[in-house]
Amino acid sequence: MKIAIIGGTGPQGAGLALRFAKAGADVVIGSRDGQRAAAKAEELQQKLAAGSGKISGCDNLQATASVEQMVILAVPYSAHDATLNELKPLLAGKILVDIVVPLAEGNPKAVAMPAEGSATEAAQALLGDDIPVVGALHNVSAVTLNKLEQKINCDILVCGNDLQAKNSVMEMLSLLDVTSYNAGLADSARCIEAITPILIRLNISKAVPFSHAGICIQPPAH
């Protein structure tokens, strides 16, 4: 499997690149600056053991064009729509995995949802129904992702309007050794994305003895 991560030079994108490559997938990270992406890819590759997948880097357009199916969008929300407009001609026949959370400007403890209701829904509206958008990985700490010696400490909620696309993304996520759940249609992203600022609030609070917490779906004990 080969996965493109647009915004792969940022903390969350880089952490995902390391995790997927460690699991054996080839990863191409994209950036507006292709040289920066290539340098970051080389840096990340050096953190991996022999036998891992290959991490390469190039500009966003080349990264998107280089993969057959999976394109993960991990850019800041301020660049969300502009990046998708640029990539749209290259996304035909592929799945866009949107992990972006519309955090409020200057306040990561709140969201500022777009008119469509969520970043996931905004991406689907922008790309049109022929390009499936799947929301996932919204609630995973970037710090956790980059600590390869530790297992990811949360479950993954997946949403979108195309069931086949969701199943394909959940299969991809199994490479990360996580449990993922089909959380419904794209409008479920309104709830899922809104969990992130709550986690941020808890993780920076001095009233709790932890940081970088995630969420888990807990079945009954009986």
Side-chain angles (χ1 to χ4, degrees):
M1 176 181 288
K2 188 175 184 181
I3 301 165
I5 303 178
I6 307 304
T9 59
Q12 195 166 21
L16 286 172
L18 286 169
R19 292 278 180 171
F20 281 119
K22 182 183 178 183
D26 290 331
V27 179
V28 54
I29 60 175
S31 172
R32 288 177 297 177
D33 183 338
Q35 291 185 334
R36 181 185 177 206
K40 185 67 173 181
E42 185 176 349
E43 173 193 325
L44 295 175
Q45 191 73 56
Q46 292 174 359
K47 297 181 180 182
L48 297 170
S52 300
K54 180 182 178 182
I55 302 178
S56 58
C58 53
D59 67 47
N60 288 334
L61 294 173
Q62 290 175 313
T64 302
S66 71
V67 298
E68 182 176 344
Q69 186 180 48
M70 291 294 178
V71 179
I72 298 175
L73 185 67
V75 299
Y77 179 59
S78 59
H80 182 267
D81 290 3
T83 302
L84 287 178
N85 274 316
E86 180 183 33
L87 299 182
K88 182 176 180 179
L90 300 173
L91 288 171
K94 302 178 184 182
I95 298 171
L96 191 282
V97 184
D98 197 329
I99 74 171
V100 178
V101 175
L103 296 175
E105 185 176 358
N107 183 11
K109 296 182 289 184
V111 287
M113 293 297 192
E116 293 83 358
S118 65
T120 300
E121 291 171 280
Q124 189 65 83
L126 190 154
L127 295 178
D129 293 339
D130 291 338
I131 299 172
V133 174
V134 175
L137 293 161
H138 298 104
N139 312 136
V140 188
S141 163
V143 172
T144 297
L145 288 174
N146 281 276
K147 291 183 176 179
L148 294 183
E149 70 279 6
Q150 298 180 6
K151 188 179 185 299
I152 294 173
N153 62 335
C154 60
D155 297 330
I156 310 299
L157 300 177
V158 177
C159 62
N161 296 333
D162 187 308
L163 179 59
Q164 184 175 348
K166 282 189 288 189
N167 288 338
S168 295
V169 170
M170 292 170 72
E171 182 178 355
M172 177 187 71
L173 293 175
S174 69
L175 294 173
L176 302 179
D177 191 25
V178 295
T179 301
S180 58
Y181 293 93
N182 179 354
L185 299 177
D187 58 8
S188 294
R190 303 177 190 189
C191 300
I192 298 169
E193 293 173 19
I195 292 172
T196 295
I198 297 172
L199 290 172
I200 292 173
R201 180 181 293 273
L202 290 172
N203 287 331
I204 66 177
S205 171
K206 295 180 180 179
V208 296
F210 56 76
S211 61
H212 313 303
I215 61 169
C216 291
I217 306 302
Q218 186 64 42
H222 54 81

Short mmCIF file of all heavy atoms in Angstrom, two decimals, residues 35 39 103 169:
data_model
loop_
_atom_site.label_atom_id
_atom_site.label_comp_id
_atom_site.label_asym_id
_atom_site.label_seq_id
_atom_site.Cartn_x
_atom_site.Cartn_y
_atom_site.Cartn_z
N GLN A 35 10.84 20.65 -1.82
CA GLN A 35 12.17 20.42 -1.24
C GLN A 35 12.09 20.22 0.27
O GLN A 35 12.79 19.37 0.84
CB GLN A 35 13.11 21.58 -1.58
CG GLN A 35 13.48 21.65 -3.05
CD GLN A 35 14.49 22.74 -3.33
OE1 GLN A 35 14.58 23.73 -2.60
NE2 GLN A 35 15.26 22.57 -4.39
N ALA A 39 13.21 16.81 2.32
CA ALA A 39 14.13 16.85 3.45
C ALA A 39 13.49 16.23 4.69
O ALA A 39 14.14 15.48 5.44
CB ALA A 39 14.55 18.29 3.74
N LEU A 103 -10.37 24.17 14.36
CA LEU A 103 -10.20 24.84 15.65
C LEU A 103 -10.36 26.35 15.47
O LEU A 103 -9.98 26.91 14.45
CB LEU A 103 -8.82 24.53 16.21
CG LEU A 103 -8.54 23.05 16.56
CD1 LEU A 103 -7.10 22.88 17.00
CD2 LEU A 103 -9.51 22.55 17.63
N VAL A 169 -10.85 2.69 4.30
CA VAL A 169 -10.06 3.49 5.25
C VAL A 169 -9.86 2.72 6.55
O VAL A 169 -8.75 2.72 7.12
CB VAL A 169 -10.75 4.84 5.51
CG1 VAL A 169 -10.09 5.58 6.67
CG2 VAL A 169 -10.72 5.69 4.25
#
